[in-house]
């Protein structure tokens, strides 16, 4: 357990969080804990720790939850609303390197009858720009299924999901995807609801 960049001693953990177990869900957010569920949260965590450390050195007891809310709002604006995606797509060569060997590796896996897929929270447009830069325009041929805008972790918890097929022009179609085809299918998860 850390508070910002400082690891808490066992005594501090017991004092602050009494009891033998810490109960929280990775889906639900808590004011007492921030659980990192994937590597993409590390920059957000670092920003939160850096800002909180700075404020603790310059102010009297800033409340971590208020700092967390502000960092989360900025992160949401940059990431969820597409600001960060747009910047990266305009400057893709600064963020990703082409990798022709990746296609060779994926082709070898397909020859071995492995089924390959992409499941990502990112929108298709963003994935397409990045994968074209890394692998070339035919990158979709290396995957059996591509699912974008999946809304993980909710994706794994919901029983009923509606998927949207993308047309050959990469625009959304309105017919529901009822079955994934074997070759290069792209789908964007939309309007998920439980039955």
């Amino acid at each position: 357990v850390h508070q910002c960049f400082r690891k808490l001693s066992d005594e501090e953990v017991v004092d602050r969080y009494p009891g033998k177990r810490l109960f929280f869900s990775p889906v639900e957010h808590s004011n007492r804990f921030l659980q990192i569920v994937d590597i993409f949260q590390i920059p957000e965590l670092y920003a939160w720790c850096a800002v909180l450390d700075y404020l603790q050195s310059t102010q009297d007891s800033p409340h971590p939850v208020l700092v967390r809310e502000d960092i989360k709002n900025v992160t949401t604006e940059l990431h969820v609303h597409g600001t960060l995606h747009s910047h990266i797509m305009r400057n893709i060569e600064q963020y990703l390197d082409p990798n022709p060997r990746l296609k060779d590796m994926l082709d070898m896996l397909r020859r071995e009858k492995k089924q390959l897929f992409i499941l990502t929270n990112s929108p298709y447009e963003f994935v397409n720009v990045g994968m074209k830069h890394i692998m070339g325009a035919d990158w979709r041929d290396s995957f059996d299924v591509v699912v974008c805008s999946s809304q993980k972790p909710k994706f794994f918890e919901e029983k009923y999901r509606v998927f949207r097929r993308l047309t050959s022009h990469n625009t959304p179609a309105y017919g529901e995807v009822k079955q994934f085809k074997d070759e290069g299918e792209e789908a964007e998860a939309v309007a998920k609801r439980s039955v």
Side-chain angles (χ1 to χ4, degrees):
V1 176
H2 286 73
Q3 179 177 348
C4 294
F5 299 117
R6 187 174 71 81
K7 186 177 189 310
L8 298 180
S9 69
D10 292 345
E11 294 78 21
E12 289 174 303
V13 173
V14 170
D15 182 53
R16 291 176 193 203
Y17 310 105
K20 294 184 180 183
R21 295 186 180 163
L22 304 177
F23 293 99
F24 54 95
S25 162
V27 177
E28 296 172 7
H29 296 287
S30 166
N31 286 341
R32 297 187 66 201
F33 303 101
L34 175 62
Q35 181 183 20
I36 303 302
V37 293
D38 63 39
I39 195 167
F40 300 107
Q41 288 181 291
I42 292 174
E44 181 181 333
L45 174 64
Y46 185 86
W48 184 37
C49 291
V51 170
L52 190 55
D53 268 358
Y54 171 77
L55 292 175
Q56 287 173 339
S57 70
T58 61
Q59 298 181 13
D60 288 333
S61 304
H63 199 287
V65 172
L66 298 176
V67 175
R68 165 86 179 115
E69 287 174 2
D70 286 350
I71 295 295
K72 187 67 179 168
N73 289 340
V74 169
T75 303
T76 299
E77 181 62 35
L78 287 173
H79 186 71
V80 175
H81 295 148
T83 307
L84 181 61
H85 289 156
S86 296
H87 173 78
I88 291 172
M89 287 190 297
R90 283 191 311 272
N91 303 285
I92 196 71
E93 64 286 339
Q94 293 178 11
Y95 295 95
L96 296 174
D97 293 324
N99 187 347
R101 292 177 40 195
L102 178 59
K103 182 161 180 39
D104 294 339
M105 184 192 73
L106 295 174
D107 288 346
M108 182 268 305
L109 290 171
R110 287 182 63 91
R111 282 192 304 275
E112 295 295 321
K113 307 293 185 215
K114 304 298 181 191
Q115 293 184 332
L116 303 177
F117 66 93
I118 293 177
L119 176 66
T120 178
N121 287 348
S122 296
Y124 179 77
E125 179 185 23
F126 183 67
V127 173
N128 188 41
V129 168
M131 293 302 289
K132 277 183 179 179
H133 183 75
I134 293 170
M135 294 178 59
D138 61 346
W139 69 270
R140 291 173 294 193
D141 296 340
S142 296
F143 298 93
D144 297 290
V145 175
V146 176
V147 179
C148 298
S149 302
S150 65
Q151 301 177 15
K152 294 178 289 171
K154 288 191 315 185
F155 178 88
F156 299 108
E157 297 171 347
E158 294 181 352
K159 293 179 183 169
Y160 181 73
R161 297 175 194 90
V162 176
F163 295 93
R164 175 181 290 182
R165 184 178 320 281
L166 297 176
T167 70
S168 58
H169 301 290
N170 297 329
T171 58
Y174 287 95
E176 180 181 355
V177 174
K178 299 195 188 286
Q179 177 181 352
F180 291 110
K181 296 179 183 174
D182 292 337
E183 295 292 324
E185 184 74 55
E186 302 89 34
E188 189 156 7
V190 295
K192 292 192 211 167
R193 51 190 152 75
S194 299
V195 239

